[in-house]
Amino acid sequence: MAVTHNLGFPRIGAGRELKFALENYWKGLSSQDDLKAEGARLRRQHWEHQTGLDFVPVGDFSYYDHILDMSFLLGNVPDRVRNISGTTLDNYFRVARGRSTVQSSCCSVHAGEMTKWFDTNYHYIVPEFTADTVFSLHASEFLAQLQEARRLGIATKPVIIGPVTYLWLGKSKDDCNRLSLLPRLLPIYRELLDKLAQEGIEWVQIDEPILVTELSPEWQAAVGMAYEALAINRPKILVAAYFGQLQENLDLACGLPVAGLHIDAINGRAEVDEIIRRLPEDKVLSLGVINGRNIWKTDLHATLEWLEPIHRALKERLWIAPSCSLLHVPVDLHSEQKLDPEIRSWLAFALQKLEELTILGKALNDGRVSVQEALVANSSAIEKRHTSHRVKNPGVRANVERLDAGWGRRAGSYEQRAAKQAAILGLPEFPTTTIGSFPQTAEIRETRSKFRRGELDQAAYSALMKREIERCVHEQDKLGLDVYVHGEAERNDMVEYFGEQLEGYAFSQFGWVQSYGSRCVKPPILFGDVSRPQAMTVEWTRYAQSLTNKPMKGMLTGPVTMLNWSFVRDDQPRAATCYQLALAIRGEVLDLEKAGIRIIQIDEAALREGLPLRRSQWHEYLQWAVEAFRITANGVKDETQIHTHMCYSEFNDIIHAIADMDADVITIETSRSDMELLDAFEDFKYPNEIGPGVYDIHSPNIPNTAEIIQLLRNAAQRIPASRLWVNPDCGLKTRSWEEVIPALRNMVEAAKALRSAN
Ligand code: GLN
Ligand code: ZN
């Protein structure tokens, strides 16, 4: 019998219930007991959805981030929260976001650094280490959840992050070698496994996704050593790797002294035969055969054709699962009653993916006839998508064919452009600006949703949005900023807003995916060839510019970010889709320029996260990604200043590619890492202008002027002051005006102080 199981379930809730429960608690509108009750209710609901599987993950639920949970489980709590009074959960939120609830604002600390989870759009809180870090087991919450599940009769399989991946994900605060902590860490894992054994747990899933990355010999050895130390009979360990191929780690993974191995058979299908040959015969092989990162239906027929012989060979040693945790896909397609029915028939969200898994399991165990009807329906949907006329647009294809390198080149060099731009823009030293959005107040959201529901007509909606733009301009006047933005009140989301105006995109209503903490994104579904029927942002931007003499930035989302933050088609290479996006957005850039906009910012917030996990594949990605940006941006005159913005970007390793984009100005995230990100600029003389973020917009804390001056002084050690801009880390949409005004006031004051000191 093939065994079915799941690696993780989305925890935010089909209606984002967890988000609202968290935010209520943080605002002081509910108690910690209310929050915990909602957590328990969601866990129960999620487990009940999965009862058709042979093993259900437990421990995948989290109030903020599962890596932060792991830090707390292992007693690795930063010193800065240790002596603050309050509950563990309050401290947990302090590490996550700088503070717990509004009432406990007395105890704000600096929030833990946040970074991308492998190549996904999920962000985790980076574990902090020093040479003195000691670990201790704090498993009561984890064990309580196991008991909760078992009381409900759930076939419980606890899930934890493995010790080597845990160390690898973290950061040493004092340059200690993280691997030197492994001998201290392993006994804690051992203690946890013993507790699980006492609980009568049969299998535990230990995630080691670093097995799909290029590991140095030390890290490879650490994986071997860790599992030697953890080798036990009970519970049985399933080591899970996902997001890519094992490649040179294949032998290592197959040889671990554990009871089973899970691999990503979507990305790593080519390796499966080799793994079957290498894996000792007493071990379980779990194949992740359903894509946990995308929303297309699985081709069940093709999957079975491939799996059936494997099942005959492995028999009960074969487990099947989604490729990775379903954290990265929305919960339930059935919620989508407004989605175009044709496109909807091509899709599967988390619950539908689990249904597919169950069908596959039944087909393997009881024969295809036992699920005949489901298989026929699936084949027909797959076939229809394949042949649909909605997917291909010959005009778009012809335009992409016409592309040549000249489209991506500016006329003048940066120096020539900078001189012309300076003459036109007349900006001071240390020019101040923001990244685009201003607070998205409840009224703004209300206006947008009324418009969407048809309760406001176009004229009334426009008038209200213009009032918001006026407010933003007025606030920027009062603050004395140098380069303005219109505030992006009309945008629900930086990708969806553009996707909605482009052909080739479809939208879900409830297709939320957790990005970090309570924040979710609703990635659009890019199903067909992309084109721009008409201008998208020109009217708002022109209006905003008409209110001020200061330069108003036109704000666009770049092609690579559109691609990386959408669920994209799997029927053509990503590069081909990206070039189509580039041409569509290039049209908008040129229209803005024609409308008299002197600065255009093209956000590439997600450029870095599209990097393949393996370095050997970076070059190819960067080549087409940078070229797509250049095609979008570089058709403008020398006088037009192009900005780009990137969040969470570490630049050290891709600085050449960033420079190749040839934007006149880049603004980047830096404040949480104390300008460490700027190390890249020490060795490499970045040729253009840079705005390192000086205000951490992911935390409610307000930076004071002295702190900002200090950050900028640090930056000025690496970048000539004449090329520095002063700006927040990212857009301000998630903050309130009460936070934004004093923070920006301090920021402007810091810029002024530096000008007069120079
Ligand atoms: N212009 C966008 C904003 O300000 C950029 C957001 C982002 O980089 N994530 O909201
Ligand atoms: Zn950003």
Side-chain angles (χ1 to χ4, degrees), residues 435 605 645-647 729-731:
I435 303 305
H645 163 71
M646 296 174 189
C647 349
D729 269 347
C730 194

Side-chain angles (χ1 to χ4, degrees), residues 71-78 82 127-129 133-136 166:
S71 290
F72 274 70
L73 177 70
L74 298 169
N76 182 25
V77 177
R82 274 187 201 271
E128 298 173 29
F129 303 119
T133 298
V134 284
F135 302 99
S136 55
Y166 178 73

